[in-house]
Amino acid sequence: MITFTNFYEWFFQEKDRPAAGLFSFGHLFSVTLCLAIFLTGAYFLAKLFRGNEKKQNLVLLISGIAIIVLEIIKITYCCVGTNNLADAILGNWPLYFCDIPIYVVLVSALSKGRVKDCCLDFLAICGLLMGFMGNYFAGNIYGSHAAFSFFALNSLLNHSLSAFVSLFIWVSKLNKMEKRNIPFVIGILFTFMTIALILDYCFHKNFMFFFFGDGTPFTLFFDLVRGNLILYQMIIYILQCGYIGLFYVVYYAIIKQYKKKHPQEAVSN
């Protein structure tokens, strides 16, 4: 007979359960299934609510609240039974690249004007990356936890929500991708990274993986510079902020080619 205690030990504490392992069947199957569900839902909701600003904002609002709730649940669980509450809270505070939607999605739903535009562009550009990279290359999660466990499921839902929001924005055509907003969109990430780096040095943490890769692809770059922290941290900045810049370059190149092939459509717009 399954009891709450048995389930708690099995699901939360992962008692007598081995880690799934990066790219294992359990890892790839759960991630692919979850992303397929979330992205399909995002596509159909975007089509259903296209042109309806109130309902679009409602989707963003619910998504923003859901991401925050997931993070609160994780931090609360980490605080249960700990002897150092402050360290448990600070150590699990959402200050990684894939945590940025915890702050930005809700702002995008509640703000207006240029602030909203910048937030929507950021989420459109980075959300799908977070969803796919954060799920498929989560060596720090699946290298330490079973595929169906509290931490793996929490991480999976969190990253999948980011992908959901991103695709919803693209299909709904909510992002404007204006050139004048590029410095501010990159600035969202740059500011967040700088805060994380300062806290890393102050409290000896590894937010944004600034001190070691922890099983993520950043480990390759850490090894490449042979552990030189200054070079490694510069690479982290260049890779992540550069991704947004590169995305804009590719985006405008595609738009330019599209307008050349469809001049009449470009004029009508």
Side-chain angles (χ1 to χ4, degrees), residues 146-163:
F148 189 73
S149 62
F150 172 76
F151 284 106
L153 187 60
N154 186 278
S155 175
L156 177 59
L157 292 175
N158 188 308
H159 290 92
S160 297
L161 272 169
S162 296

Side-chain angles (χ1 to χ4, degrees), residues 8-222:
Y8 179 82
E9 292 177 345
W10 182 84
F11 181 73
F12 288 89
Q13 297 183 335
E14 302 177 55
K15 186 177 180 181
D16 301 323
R17 299 178 67 197
L22 187 64
F23 303 139
S24 64
F25 174 79
H27 167 210
L28 295 178
F29 178 79
S30 60
V31 166
T32 302
L33 178 62
C34 189
L35 279 174
I37 293 171
F38 273 73
L39 294 179
T40 301
Y43 179 82
F44 282 107
L45 282 176
K47 288 290 187 180
L48 183 64
F49 297 148
R50 179 175 288 182
N52 191 323
E53 186 177 349
K54 287 186 178 180
K55 290 187 176 179
Q56 289 171 341
N57 269 335
L58 181 61
V59 171
L60 293 174
L61 181 64
I62 293 173
S63 300
I65 293 173
I67 294 177
I68 292 172
V69 170
L70 282 170
E71 195 62 27
I72 291 174
I73 290 172
K74 185 184 78 173
I75 293 175
T76 301
Y77 174 71
C78 291
C79 290
V80 174
T82 183
N83 294 323
N84 191 335
L85 187 62
D87 186 64
I89 294 174
L90 180 61
N92 292 284
W93 200 255
L95 283 171
Y96 292 92
F97 175 70
C98 294
D99 291 326
I100 302 179
I102 293 172
Y103 310 94
V104 179
V105 176
L106 201 58
V107 174
S108 71
L110 299 176
S111 60
K112 294 182 179 180
R114 200 167 181 182
V115 172
K116 187 182 189 71
D117 292 343
C118 290
C119 288
L120 290 172
D121 284 358
F122 177 86
L123 292 167
I125 293 169
C126 296
L128 286 172
L129 178 71
M130 294 169 179
F132 281 88
M133 293 293 290
N135 275 327
Y136 281 108
F137 293 92
N140 57 319
I141 296 295
Y142 293 96
S144 305
H145 300 282
F148 189 73
S149 62
F150 172 76
F151 284 106
L153 187 60
N154 186 278
S155 175
L156 177 59
L157 292 175
N158 188 308
H159 290 92
S160 297
L161 272 169
S162 296
F164 169 89
V165 170
S166 180
L167 185 62
F168 179 80
I169 291 170
W170 279 107
V171 179
S172 300
K173 298 183 179 181
L174 295 175
N175 52 318
K176 295 184 177 179
M177 306 294 285
E178 294 180 340
K179 292 182 179 179
R180 65 172 186 155
N181 288 334
I182 293 177
F184 299 100
V185 174
I186 296 177
I188 293 173
L189 178 56
F190 185 87
T191 301
F192 189 89
M193 292 179 71
T194 303
I195 293 172
L197 183 59
I198 292 171
L199 292 176
D200 278 344
Y201 275 103
C202 290
F203 299 103
H204 306 289
K205 301 299 179 182
N206 189 39
F207 298 126
M208 299 291 290
F209 305 107
F210 270 127
F211 277 79
F212 53 91
D214 196 22
T216 67
F218 290 129
T219 302
L220 298 174
F221 297 96
F222 184 84

